[in-house]
Amino acid sequence: KLDQWFPPPLQAKLATFLQDPRAVAAGVARRMFMASPVLGTGINSYSVLYPRFDPGDYTLYYAYNDYTQLLAETGLIGVVIAIALATPVISRFARLGAVNAADRPFAAATAASIAGLAAHMAFEWNLHQPANSFLACIAVGLFLATVPGRPHKTSKQQTINPWVMKGMTEIGRAH
């Protein structure tokens, strides 16, 4: 048991944490991954396969953690693809300082929304909701359009089109 590796005062707290439904769901996803590590169990198969890995009185439909569910359902191949798709976004976080002063608040706001979503994905299943997926795509697209990629020798730094900035400001005010 994992809790036996910790000092006695922490063992009870860790045992309680490990019995939390979110921790149980993540553990089931880990076991699903171990059953099929390369290809995974298949997209949207978590709820169907849950009873095989945790027979009990209830079935969880999602792992409450997008990362463990991605690992379980798509295996290592899916994780490699996800990392490849996330690399341009992650690499541009280091270039936030290169954004011109006029666009910096907008770039910081989109970066903060992506970082918040990435953190929240460890505790919920955000991207299974189409509206959340759509908003994540918008945030990533705006971030990639605002923060410069690798510098080119002949390119000049671009600014956001003023009409796009005004439209996004108005959308933000409407909500």
Side-chain angles (χ1 to χ4, degrees):
K1 289 193 126 205
L2 180 65
D3 57 343
Q4 294 173 352
W5 291 61
F6 291 89
L10 294 177
Q11 287 180 1
K13 291 181 181 180
L14 184 61
T16 301
F17 170 76
L18 292 175
Q19 305 239 341
D20 180 73
R22 292 175 196 273
V24 171
V28 169
R30 183 187 53 79
R31 290 194 301 275
M32 285 181 184
F33 167 71
M34 296 305 288
S36 183
V38 177
L39 296 174
T41 58
I43 300 284
N44 211 16
S45 64
Y46 185 88
S47 63
V48 174
L49 295 176
Y50 184 91
R52 292 184 191 173
F53 291 91
D54 189 29
D57 297 336
Y58 60 90
T59 297
L60 295 176
Y61 294 97
Y62 299 104
Y64 290 94
N65 181 323
D66 279 338
Y67 302 114
T68 59
Q69 187 155 347
L70 175 78
L71 183 64
E73 291 183 347
T74 64
L76 292 174
I77 291 176
V79 170
V80 167
I81 292 170
I83 290 171
L85 292 172
T87 298
V89 177
I90 294 167
S91 68
R92 290 194 191 188
F93 269 87
R95 295 190 191 98
L96 276 171
V99 176
N100 66 38
D103 295 338
R104 197 164 291 139
F106 187 75
T110 57
S113 68
I114 293 168
L117 177 67
H120 195 256
M121 286 169 54
F123 305 102
E124 283 293 334
W125 65 95
N126 291 323
L127 299 183
H128 288 274
Q129 303 296 325
N132 290 348
S133 296
F134 181 67
L135 289 175
C137 289
I138 289 174
V140 168
L142 291 172
F143 179 74
L144 292 175
T146 306
V147 179
R150 289 183 299 193
H152 299 287
K153 294 180 182 178
T154 59
S155 68
K156 294 182 180 179
Q157 189 171 4
Q158 296 180 345
T159 60
I160 297 175
N161 181 320
W163 291 103
V164 171
M165 185 65 115
K166 180 156 178 56
M168 292 310 297
T169 303
E170 292 302 320
I171 289 173
R173 284 186 195 157
H175 297 294

